Amino acid sequence: MSREMIEAILREKKLQDFSYEHILSSMCTYPHEIAVYAHRLFLESNAGDYGLFPGTKELEDEVIQMLGTLMGNENASGYLSTGGTESNIQAIRAIRNRKRKEGGGISDLMNIIVPESAHFSFDKIADLLSIEVQKASLDAELKVDVNSVESLINDKTIGIVGIAGTTEFGQIDPIKELSSIATGNEIFLFVDAAFGGFVIPFLEESYEFDLSVDGVSAISIDPHKMGMSTIPTGCILFNDGSYLDELVVPTPYLTTKEQCSLTGTRSGASAAATYAVLKYLGREGMKEVVDECMKLTRMLVAGAKRLGISPVIEPVMNVVTLSFPVEEVRRVKDALEERRWRVSMTRTPKSLRMVIMPHTGEETIKLFLEDLEEVV
Ligand code: PLP
């Protein structure tokens, strides 16, 4: 094909994709302009073979140190993954491998306990790692019920997962209470802050949720969500760096002796993009982004309330879920989609879900509320 033909096809396909202006269902957003610049500059860099790309490695090391600091331990160890799913897999794989090595009588089916609100990546984990994933029930505020977690612990339990920013409701589990349970039972506590990691540190209310909490062993935080970096960029961080050793395999023909990442070839552009956006915005810039998202979140909830629609929970972060009768929620979603909006639905309780990401502006919320009014 000629270049012109290919370009024409690409442009046509691109037009079929939705633009973020009408997307209220996604935890991704436009990457920051400086992240795009950095990504392009490092497009060919393979962080999986960093002997060839020592500059990229330095950027990744500094990103890990910055994200460790943001997550409560500047000396945390980790690496940049492809996203929340890989980080979740690797956290659980590390503890499973450690337990296997230690033996301690746990030879058959080990288990972890995750909240019912956990991301579906934990179902993949059960399959991939051959462990049982037990689901703890939630309380009335859709946080994990710590009594349910405790009641599920048995002699095959190797870890607990808490979510700091649940995918569906944006709720924060009681990490401190989970950490007491983890410490008391000498098991691993992993916090999935894939979404919340770039939100919670900048909220008005403060939450104890990160690596600074005694008993939290690892945390994930995704630069490709609220960090406004480019896709694919996640990050897994351990308080105790020796957990990375549990993930290591020798890499005979590369410039490095071993590798702890799940993928082999890895985007160095992700490290460069994340470095750029973190350095450019700094904490103040990140806080401004979160402040704006939270302002628009409150605006959306207030507008919905004026229409007589209540949120399932008062938003803790920039996720809005609106209650409708079960038979009505699908109709509302479809009618909004006819008006070009992309929104999603939660499972239990059923509700209409919107994520207010940095690409959302005040005008968008106004237009959306006008359409919501007509639809209801
Ligand atoms: N964890 C949480 C809390 C999430 O919300 C998500 C995705 O939305 C994930 C993990 C998975 O992240 P990814 O899609 O980057 O693999």
Side-chain angles (χ1 to χ4, degrees), residues 42 45 50-62 268 271-272 275:
F42 282 77
S45 157
Y50 55 71
L52 300 176
F53 303 99
T56 302
K57 168 82 174 121
E58 281 184 18
L59 291 176
E60 178 172 12
D61 288 348
E62 194 160 344
Y275 175 89

Side-chain angles (χ1 to χ4, degrees), residues 27 82-85 88 119 121 163 165 167 192 194-195 222 224-225:
M27 290 184 149
T82 50
T85 300
N88 288 352
H119 184 260
S121 46
I163 321 284
T167 313
D192 179 349
F195 183 71
D222 276 2
H224 72 193
K225 294 189 169 74

Side-chain angles (χ1 to χ4, degrees), residues 47-308:
D49 195 5
Y50 55 71
L52 300 176
F53 303 99
T56 302
K57 168 82 174 121
E58 281 184 18
L59 291 176
E60 178 172 12
D61 288 348
E62 194 160 344
V63 169
I64 294 300
Q65 201 250 325
M66 285 191 275
L67 293 181
T69 305
L70 185 64
M71 293 294 97
N73 178 3
E74 61 181 322
N75 297 313
S77 306
Y79 77 91
L80 292 180
S81 65
T82 50
T85 300
E86 179 178 337
S87 301
N88 288 352
I89 294 169
Q90 293 287 77
I92 306 303
R93 187 173 153 230
I95 173 65
R96 186 206 60 175
N97 290 356
R98 170 73 53 97
K99 286 288 171 192
R100 262 189 188 162
K101 214 189 297 165
E102 284 173 355
I106 311 187
S107 50
D108 44 303
L109 199 60
M110 301 180 201
N111 70 68
I112 57 167
I113 302 164
V114 310
E116 253 170 26
S117 53
H119 184 260
F120 54 77
S121 46
F122 287 96
D123 298 330
K124 299 181 186 178
I125 287 171
D127 184 34
L128 282 168
L129 298 179
S130 298
I131 60 166
E132 189 191 353
V133 174
Q134 304 193 82
K135 301 212 170 151
S137 53
L138 308 183
D139 66 16
E141 291 181 298
L142 305 173
K143 297 177 194 171
V144 74
D145 177 349
V146 286
N147 293 323
S148 172
V149 172
E150 259 188 317
S151 72
L152 290 170
I153 293 180
N154 60 36
D155 58 354
K156 305 266 184 278
T157 304
I158 58 171
I160 309 176
V161 175
I163 321 284
T166 59
T167 313
E168 290 182 298
F169 295 94
Q171 185 54 281
I172 305 170
D173 285 330
I175 303 301
K176 199 92 190 161
E177 291 173 51
L178 291 178
S179 75
S180 310
I181 299 176
T183 314
N185 288 277
E186 295 181 1
I187 51 180
F188 189 90
L189 173 59
F190 167 59
V191 178
D192 179 349
F195 183 71
F198 276 107
V199 180
I200 302 169
F202 306 110
L203 293 174
E204 295 300 318
E205 197 165 327
S206 70
Y207 295 86
E208 292 184 280
F209 76 102
D210 62 14
L211 292 173
S212 65
V213 176
D214 242 8
V216 172
S217 306
I219 197 163
S220 73
I221 170 171
D222 276 2
H224 72 193
K225 294 189 169 74
M226 282 294 288
M228 289 189 301
S229 186
T230 51
I231 296 172
T233 321
C235 176
I236 173 74
L237 295 165
F238 293 91
N239 257 336
D240 171 358
S242 73
Y243 274 103
L244 285 177
D245 299 339
E246 308 297 340
L247 302 171
V248 151
V249 296
T251 49
Y253 44 80
L254 300 186
T255 54
T256 49
K257 282 210 254 348
E258 54 188 32
Q259 194 173 77
C260 63
S261 54
L262 187 62
T263 60
T265 299
R266 215 155 48 88
S267 164
S270 293
T274 307
Y275 175 89
V277 74
L278 291 179
K279 285 289 186 194
Y280 189 77
L281 290 178
R283 275 186 186 257
E284 276 171 32
M286 290 274 168
K287 180 163 169 30
E288 275 172 30
V289 171
V290 172
D291 281 351
E292 182 66 13
C293 291
M294 291 309 294
K295 187 187 95 188
L296 297 178
T297 297
R298 286 189 292 272
M299 184 178 158
L300 175 54
V301 171
K305 283 183 178 167
R306 277 196 296 276
L307 300 175

